[in-house]
Amino acid sequence: MPLILAAKGNEMNIKKITGNDETKRFLNSLGLVAGEKVKIISELGGNLIINVKDSRVALDKGMASRIIV
């Protein structure tokens, strides 16, 4: 399921990153790679603040929908 549909507060593993090469490289640079654990901290209007590799990252709903958990 896309990260945008996941429940807040649960730690999940990233299964796959979808999108074009540029999008994949961008998400990879943020530490969002397959196998990494990610946790949703908060959600407002579809936009997410997530915790990945002990860092907080803000994603819009378009980017969050490309992360499959």
Side-chain angles (χ1 to χ4, degrees):
M1 98 179 109
L3 183 62
I4 197 87
L5 299 177
K8 184 172 99 172
N10 293 338
E11 190 170 78
M12 299 148 286
N13 285 326
I14 297 173
K15 297 199 184 325
K16 183 169 85 167
I17 305 290
T18 62
N20 61 29
D21 288 340
E22 186 178 339
T23 301
K24 290 178 184 178
R25 268 191 306 251
F26 173 71
L27 292 173
N28 190 349
S29 73
L30 295 175
L32 296 162
V33 294
E36 190 62 46
K37 292 185 186 287
V38 65
K39 181 178 181 181
I40 298 175
I41 303 299
S42 69
E43 183 267 331
L44 180 63
N47 300 320
L48 302 177
I49 295 177
I50 61 170
N51 194 14
V52 62
K53 291 188 177 183
D54 297 326
S55 298
R56 288 190 178 189
V57 177
L59 295 174
D60 67 1
K61 55 182 146 183
M63 283 292 174
S65 67
R66 291 179 172 91
I67 302 168
I68 308 299
V69 293

